[in-house]
mmCIF file of all heavy atoms in Angstrom:
data_model
loop_
_atom_site.group_PDB
_atom_site.id
_atom_site.type_symbol
_atom_site.label_atom_id
_atom_site.label_comp_id
_atom_site.label_asym_id
_atom_site.label_seq_id
_atom_site.Cartn_x
_atom_site.Cartn_y
_atom_site.Cartn_z
ATOM 1 N N ILE A 1 -3.749 -8.811 20.378
ATOM 2 C CA ILE A 1 -3.506 -8.190 19.072
ATOM 3 C C ILE A 1 -3.758 -6.689 19.145
ATOM 4 O O ILE A 1 -2.967 -5.878 18.664
ATOM 5 C CB ILE A 1 -4.372 -8.849 17.977
ATOM 6 C CG1 ILE A 1 -3.896 -10.296 17.737
ATOM 7 C CG2 ILE A 1 -4.336 -8.036 16.682
ATOM 8 C CD1 ILE A 1 -4.812 -11.107 16.839
ATOM 9 N N ASN A 2 -4.864 -6.308 19.775
ATOM 10 C CA ASN A 2 -5.176 -4.877 19.906
ATOM 11 C C ASN A 2 -4.133 -4.156 20.743
ATOM 12 O O ASN A 2 -3.740 -3.026 20.419
ATOM 13 C CB ASN A 2 -6.572 -4.690 20.488
ATOM 14 C CG ASN A 2 -7.649 -5.005 19.484
ATOM 15 O OD1 ASN A 2 -7.524 -4.699 18.304
ATOM 16 N ND2 ASN A 2 -8.719 -5.638 19.926
ATOM 17 N N ALA A 3 -3.672 -4.781 21.818
ATOM 18 C CA ALA A 3 -2.636 -4.167 22.645
ATOM 19 C C ALA A 3 -1.344 -4.013 21.845
ATOM 20 O O ALA A 3 -0.645 -3.003 21.968
ATOM 21 C CB ALA A 3 -2.395 -5.008 23.902
ATOM 22 N N TYR A 4 -1.033 -4.997 21.007
ATOM 23 C CA TYR A 4 0.154 -4.930 20.143
ATOM 24 C C TYR A 4 0.032 -3.748 19.181
ATOM 25 O O TYR A 4 0.949 -2.936 19.048
ATOM 26 C CB TYR A 4 0.300 -6.245 19.375
ATOM 27 C CG TYR A 4 1.431 -6.268 18.388
ATOM 28 C CD1 TYR A 4 2.738 -6.500 18.801
ATOM 29 C CD2 TYR A 4 1.203 -6.066 17.028
ATOM 30 C CE1 TYR A 4 3.783 -6.528 17.892
ATOM 31 C CE2 TYR A 4 2.239 -6.092 16.107
ATOM 32 C CZ TYR A 4 3.529 -6.318 16.552
ATOM 33 O OH TYR A 4 4.561 -6.342 15.640
ATOM 34 N N ILE A 5 -1.122 -3.640 18.518
ATOM 35 C CA ILE A 5 -1.348 -2.576 17.550
ATOM 36 C C ILE A 5 -1.285 -1.208 18.224
ATOM 37 O O ILE A 5 -0.723 -0.259 17.676
ATOM 38 C CB ILE A 5 -2.702 -2.775 16.838
ATOM 39 C CG1 ILE A 5 -2.635 -4.009 15.934
ATOM 40 C CG2 ILE A 5 -3.098 -1.535 16.042
ATOM 41 C CD1 ILE A 5 -3.971 -4.437 15.373
ATOM 42 N N ASP A 6 -1.854 -1.114 19.413
ATOM 43 C CA ASP A 6 -1.907 0.170 20.124
ATOM 44 C C ASP A 6 -0.626 0.508 20.873
ATOM 45 O O ASP A 6 -0.534 1.565 21.490
ATOM 46 C CB ASP A 6 -3.076 0.168 21.114
ATOM 47 C CG ASP A 6 -4.424 0.118 20.415
ATOM 48 O OD1 ASP A 6 -4.497 0.463 19.220
ATOM 49 O OD2 ASP A 6 -5.418 -0.268 21.071
ATOM 50 N N GLY A 7 0.359 -0.389 20.860
ATOM 51 C CA GLY A 7 1.624 -0.126 21.535
ATOM 52 C C GLY A 7 1.529 -0.210 23.046
ATOM 53 O O GLY A 7 2.276 0.459 23.756
ATOM 54 N N ARG A 8 0.616 -1.038 23.550
ATOM 55 C CA ARG A 8 0.416 -1.145 24.992
ATOM 56 C C ARG A 8 1.080 -2.378 25.599
ATOM 57 O O ARG A 8 0.794 -2.727 26.733
ATOM 58 C CB ARG A 8 -1.088 -1.172 25.316
ATOM 59 C CG ARG A 8 -1.796 0.130 24.986
ATOM 60 C CD ARG A 8 -3.276 0.098 25.364
ATOM 61 N NE ARG A 8 -4.025 -0.703 24.408
ATOM 62 C CZ ARG A 8 -4.733 -1.793 24.710
ATOM 63 N NH1 ARG A 8 -4.810 -2.227 25.929
ATOM 64 N NH2 ARG A 8 -5.387 -2.447 23.758
ATOM 65 N N LEU A 9 1.960 -3.025 24.857
ATOM 66 C CA LEU A 9 2.657 -4.205 25.372
ATOM 67 C C LEU A 9 4.064 -3.837 25.826
ATOM 68 O O LEU A 9 4.674 -2.910 25.298
ATOM 69 C CB LEU A 9 2.752 -5.286 24.288
ATOM 70 C CG LEU A 9 1.457 -5.918 23.812
ATOM 71 C CD1 LEU A 9 1.765 -6.936 22.716
ATOM 72 C CD2 LEU A 9 0.705 -6.582 24.951
ATOM 73 N N SER A 10 4.546 -4.604 26.784
ATOM 74 C CA SER A 10 5.939 -4.430 27.185
ATOM 75 C C SER A 10 6.824 -4.835 26.013
ATOM 76 O O SER A 10 6.379 -5.506 25.073
ATOM 77 C CB SER A 10 6.252 -5.305 28.402
ATOM 78 O OG SER A 10 6.199 -6.681 28.032
ATOM 79 N N GLN A 11 8.064 -4.458 26.082
ATOM 80 C CA GLN A 11 8.995 -4.798 25.000
ATOM 81 C C GLN A 11 9.093 -6.318 24.845
ATOM 82 O O GLN A 11 9.111 -6.830 23.724
ATOM 83 C CB GLN A 11 10.360 -4.191 25.293
ATOM 84 C CG GLN A 11 11.309 -4.272 24.129
ATOM 85 C CD GLN A 11 12.580 -3.471 24.373
ATOM 86 O OE1 GLN A 11 12.802 -2.942 25.450
ATOM 87 N NE2 GLN A 11 13.406 -3.373 23.366
ATOM 88 N N LYS A 12 9.112 -7.027 25.950
ATOM 89 C CA LYS A 12 9.199 -8.495 25.915
ATOM 90 C C LYS A 12 7.956 -9.100 25.257
ATOM 91 O O LYS A 12 8.068 -9.971 24.378
ATOM 92 C CB LYS A 12 9.341 -9.025 27.338
ATOM 93 C CG LYS A 12 9.392 -10.528 27.433
ATOM 94 C CD LYS A 12 9.464 -10.983 28.883
ATOM 95 C CE LYS A 12 9.357 -12.491 28.975
ATOM 96 N NZ LYS A 12 9.234 -12.962 30.341
ATOM 97 N N ASP A 13 6.765 -8.633 25.655
ATOM 98 C CA ASP A 13 5.528 -9.153 25.078
ATOM 99 C C ASP A 13 5.399 -8.762 23.611
ATOM 100 O O ASP A 13 4.913 -9.544 22.788
ATOM 101 C CB ASP A 13 4.312 -8.657 25.860
ATOM 102 C CG ASP A 13 4.208 -9.290 27.239
ATOM 103 O OD1 ASP A 13 4.846 -10.348 27.478
ATOM 104 O OD2 ASP A 13 3.506 -8.720 28.096
ATOM 105 N N ARG A 14 5.836 -7.558 23.277
ATOM 106 C CA ARG A 14 5.793 -7.118 21.882
ATOM 107 C C ARG A 14 6.673 -8.019 21.010
ATOM 108 O O ARG A 14 6.274 -8.402 19.913
ATOM 109 C CB ARG A 14 6.241 -5.656 21.788
ATOM 110 C CG ARG A 14 6.036 -5.061 20.430
ATOM 111 C CD ARG A 14 6.118 -3.531 20.495
ATOM 112 N NE ARG A 14 5.888 -2.957 19.193
ATOM 113 C CZ ARG A 14 4.705 -2.860 18.605
ATOM 114 N NH1 ARG A 14 3.638 -3.286 19.216
ATOM 115 N NH2 ARG A 14 4.582 -2.326 17.410
ATOM 116 N N ALA A 15 7.841 -8.376 21.512
ATOM 117 C CA ALA A 15 8.744 -9.269 20.768
ATOM 118 C C ALA A 15 8.119 -10.648 20.605
ATOM 119 O O ALA A 15 8.252 -11.279 19.543
ATOM 120 C CB ALA A 15 10.090 -9.359 21.476
ATOM 121 N N ALA A 16 7.436 -11.123 21.636
ATOM 122 C CA ALA A 16 6.795 -12.442 21.566
ATOM 123 C C ALA A 16 5.679 -12.428 20.515
ATOM 124 O O ALA A 16 5.553 -13.381 19.726
ATOM 125 C CB ALA A 16 6.245 -12.829 22.935
ATOM 126 N N VAL A 17 4.887 -11.379 20.498
ATOM 127 C CA VAL A 17 3.812 -11.274 19.506
ATOM 128 C C VAL A 17 4.409 -11.169 18.106
ATOM 129 O O VAL A 17 3.941 -11.826 17.176
ATOM 130 C CB VAL A 17 2.893 -10.076 19.800
ATOM 131 C CG1 VAL A 17 1.933 -9.816 18.638
ATOM 132 C CG2 VAL A 17 2.115 -10.303 21.089
ATOM 133 N N ALA A 18 5.453 -10.393 17.943
ATOM 134 C CA ALA A 18 6.106 -10.252 16.636
ATOM 135 C C ALA A 18 6.622 -11.601 16.136
ATOM 136 O O ALA A 18 6.488 -11.919 14.950
ATOM 137 C CB ALA A 18 7.237 -9.240 16.715
ATOM 138 N N ALA A 19 7.167 -12.412 17.025
ATOM 139 C CA ALA A 19 7.658 -13.735 16.639
ATOM 140 C C ALA A 19 6.508 -14.629 16.169
ATOM 141 O O ALA A 19 6.641 -15.363 15.180
ATOM 142 C CB ALA A 19 8.393 -14.387 17.808
ATOM 143 N N ILE A 20 5.383 -14.539 16.859
ATOM 144 C CA ILE A 20 4.203 -15.322 16.454
ATOM 145 C C ILE A 20 3.712 -14.864 15.086
ATOM 146 O O ILE A 20 3.380 -15.685 14.214
ATOM 147 C CB ILE A 20 3.088 -15.204 17.516
ATOM 148 C CG1 ILE A 20 3.518 -15.892 18.807
ATOM 149 C CG2 ILE A 20 1.772 -15.781 17.001
ATOM 150 C CD1 ILE A 20 2.629 -15.599 19.995
ATOM 151 N N LEU A 21 3.696 -13.569 14.873
ATOM 152 C CA LEU A 21 3.247 -13.033 13.591
ATOM 153 C C LEU A 21 4.179 -13.448 12.453
ATOM 154 O O LEU A 21 3.715 -13.767 11.349
ATOM 155 C CB LEU A 21 3.132 -11.509 13.659
ATOM 156 C CG LEU A 21 2.046 -10.962 14.596
ATOM 157 C CD1 LEU A 21 2.108 -9.440 14.627
ATOM 158 C CD2 LEU A 21 0.673 -11.449 14.212
ATOM 159 N N LEU A 22 5.471 -13.461 12.721
ATOM 160 C CA LEU A 22 6.430 -13.875 11.685
ATOM 161 C C LEU A 22 6.248 -15.340 11.299
ATOM 162 O O LEU A 22 6.496 -15.727 10.159
ATOM 163 C CB LEU A 22 7.861 -13.625 12.153
ATOM 164 C CG LEU A 22 8.287 -12.160 12.179
ATOM 165 C CD1 LEU A 22 9.660 -12.017 12.834
ATOM 166 C CD2 LEU A 22 8.303 -11.576 10.771
ATOM 167 N N ALA A 23 5.799 -16.143 12.243
ATOM 168 C CA ALA A 23 5.606 -17.569 11.987
ATOM 169 C C ALA A 23 4.252 -17.875 11.351
ATOM 170 O O ALA A 23 4.029 -19.002 10.898
ATOM 171 C CB ALA A 23 5.747 -18.346 13.300
ATOM 172 N N ASP A 24 3.361 -16.904 11.311
ATOM 173 C CA ASP A 24 2.005 -17.131 10.783
ATOM 174 C C ASP A 24 1.644 -16.014 9.803
ATOM 175 O O ASP A 24 1.069 -14.994 10.190
ATOM 176 C CB ASP A 24 1.013 -17.175 11.947
ATOM 177 C CG ASP A 24 -0.395 -17.559 11.526
ATOM 178 O OD1 ASP A 24 -0.727 -17.444 10.326
ATOM 179 O OD2 ASP A 24 -1.169 -17.963 12.418
ATOM 180 N N PRO A 25 1.959 -16.206 8.517
ATOM 181 C CA PRO A 25 1.710 -15.154 7.521
ATOM 182 C C PRO A 25 0.245 -14.718 7.439
ATOM 183 O O PRO A 25 -0.035 -13.540 7.206
ATOM 184 C CB PRO A 25 2.164 -15.781 6.210
ATOM 185 C CG PRO A 25 3.102 -16.872 6.600
ATOM 186 C CD PRO A 25 2.627 -17.361 7.927
ATOM 187 N N ASP A 26 -0.688 -15.649 7.630
ATOM 188 C CA ASP A 26 -2.109 -15.279 7.575
ATOM 189 C C ASP A 26 -2.474 -14.340 8.720
ATOM 190 O O ASP A 26 -3.190 -13.350 8.530
ATOM 191 C CB ASP A 26 -2.998 -16.529 7.619
ATOM 192 C CG ASP A 26 -2.903 -17.353 6.342
ATOM 193 O OD1 ASP A 26 -2.565 -16.782 5.281
ATOM 194 O OD2 ASP A 26 -3.161 -18.566 6.412
ATOM 195 N N LEU A 27 -1.988 -14.660 9.898
ATOM 196 C CA LEU A 27 -2.247 -13.797 11.052
ATOM 197 C C LEU A 27 -1.551 -12.450 10.869
ATOM 198 O O LEU A 27 -2.116 -11.405 11.191
ATOM 199 C CB LEU A 27 -1.787 -14.473 12.350
ATOM 200 C CG LEU A 27 -2.065 -13.707 13.639
ATOM 201 C CD1 LEU A 27 -3.551 -13.393 13.801
ATOM 202 C CD2 LEU A 27 -1.547 -14.499 14.843
ATOM 203 N N MET A 28 -0.342 -12.468 10.332
ATOM 204 C CA MET A 28 0.386 -11.221 10.060
ATOM 205 C C MET A 28 -0.416 -10.347 9.105
ATOM 206 O O MET A 28 -0.566 -9.145 9.324
ATOM 207 C CB MET A 28 1.764 -11.513 9.467
ATOM 208 C CG MET A 28 2.501 -10.277 8.985
ATOM 209 S SD MET A 28 3.061 -9.211 10.302
ATOM 210 C CE MET A 28 4.646 -9.941 10.601
ATOM 211 N N HIS A 29 -0.986 -10.963 8.071
ATOM 212 C CA HIS A 29 -1.799 -10.221 7.109
ATOM 213 C C HIS A 29 -3.021 -9.622 7.801
ATOM 214 O O HIS A 29 -3.367 -8.457 7.571
ATOM 215 C CB HIS A 29 -2.210 -11.151 5.960
ATOM 216 C CG HIS A 29 -2.949 -10.465 4.867
ATOM 217 N ND1 HIS A 29 -2.360 -9.581 4.000
ATOM 218 C CD2 HIS A 29 -4.250 -10.515 4.507
ATOM 219 C CE1 HIS A 29 -3.245 -9.118 3.154
ATOM 220 N NE2 HIS A 29 -4.414 -9.669 3.438
ATOM 221 N N LYS A 30 -3.671 -10.391 8.659
ATOM 222 C CA LYS A 30 -4.837 -9.902 9.402
ATOM 223 C C LYS A 30 -4.459 -8.698 10.265
ATOM 224 O O LYS A 30 -5.165 -7.686 10.282
ATOM 225 C CB LYS A 30 -5.396 -11.015 10.280
ATOM 226 C CG LYS A 30 -6.515 -10.573 11.177
ATOM 227 C CD LYS A 30 -6.952 -11.690 12.124
ATOM 228 C CE LYS A 30 -7.953 -11.173 13.149
ATOM 229 N NZ LYS A 30 -8.387 -12.204 14.085
ATOM 230 N N VAL A 31 -3.349 -8.795 10.970
ATOM 231 C CA VAL A 31 -2.920 -7.707 11.849
ATOM 232 C C VAL A 31 -2.537 -6.476 11.030
ATOM 233 O O VAL A 31 -2.870 -5.350 11.410
ATOM 234 C CB VAL A 31 -1.770 -8.167 12.771
ATOM 235 C CG1 VAL A 31 -1.157 -6.997 13.533
ATOM 236 C CG2 VAL A 31 -2.270 -9.231 13.754
ATOM 237 N N MET A 32 -1.885 -6.660 9.914
ATOM 238 C CA MET A 32 -1.518 -5.522 9.070
ATOM 239 C C MET A 32 -2.773 -4.817 8.538
ATOM 240 O O MET A 32 -2.810 -3.593 8.454
ATOM 241 C CB MET A 32 -0.629 -5.971 7.897
ATOM 242 C CG MET A 32 0.764 -6.403 8.327
ATOM 243 S SD MET A 32 1.743 -5.053 9.030
ATOM 244 C CE MET A 32 1.529 -5.284 10.766
ATOM 245 N N ARG A 33 -3.819 -5.587 8.196
ATOM 246 C CA ARG A 33 -5.087 -4.975 7.785
ATOM 247 C C ARG A 33 -5.687 -4.176 8.938
ATOM 248 O O ARG A 33 -6.205 -3.076 8.743
ATOM 249 C CB ARG A 33 -6.078 -6.048 7.326
ATOM 250 C CG ARG A 33 -5.834 -6.569 5.935
ATOM 251 C CD ARG A 33 -7.008 -7.373 5.380
ATOM 252 N NE ARG A 33 -7.712 -8.166 6.375
ATOM 253 C CZ ARG A 33 -7.578 -9.487 6.560
ATOM 254 N NH1 ARG A 33 -6.748 -10.169 5.809
ATOM 255 N NH2 ARG A 33 -8.278 -10.118 7.483
ATOM 256 N N MET A 34 -5.601 -4.733 10.146
ATOM 257 C CA MET A 34 -6.117 -4.032 11.321
ATOM 258 C C MET A 34 -5.355 -2.729 11.564
ATOM 259 O O MET A 34 -5.949 -1.709 11.919
ATOM 260 C CB MET A 34 -6.051 -4.942 12.551
ATOM 261 C CG MET A 34 -7.016 -6.109 12.485
ATOM 262 S SD MET A 34 -6.764 -7.323 13.809
ATOM 263 C CE MET A 34 -7.364 -6.399 15.226
ATOM 264 N N VAL A 35 -4.041 -2.764 11.380
ATOM 265 C CA VAL A 35 -3.218 -1.556 11.546
ATOM 266 C C VAL A 35 -3.636 -0.496 10.532
ATOM 267 O O VAL A 35 -3.792 0.682 10.872
ATOM 268 C CB VAL A 35 -1.713 -1.894 11.407
ATOM 269 C CG1 VAL A 35 -0.879 -0.637 11.268
ATOM 270 C CG2 VAL A 35 -1.247 -2.724 12.594
#
């Protein structure tokens, strides 16, 4: 999550994390608060 927020993931890994976040609104909310 921290690597995603900091932009330290590859494009492929970033897309995978984004897909997980889209499928889990609670986790998406947590990450948006962290951002």
Side-chain angles (χ1 to χ4, degrees):
I1 292 171
N2 286 322
Y4 176 80
I5 291 170
D6 294 340
R8 294 182 285 120
L9 294 179
S10 67
Q11 190 171 6
K12 178 183 174 188
D13 290 342
R14 189 164 181 75
V17 170
I20 293 168
L21 294 176
L22 287 173
D24 186 341
D26 290 335
L27 183 57
M28 172 70 89
H29 185 71
K30 175 185 172 181
V31 171
M32 290 295 98
R33 282 194 325 258
M34 292 171 71
V35 167

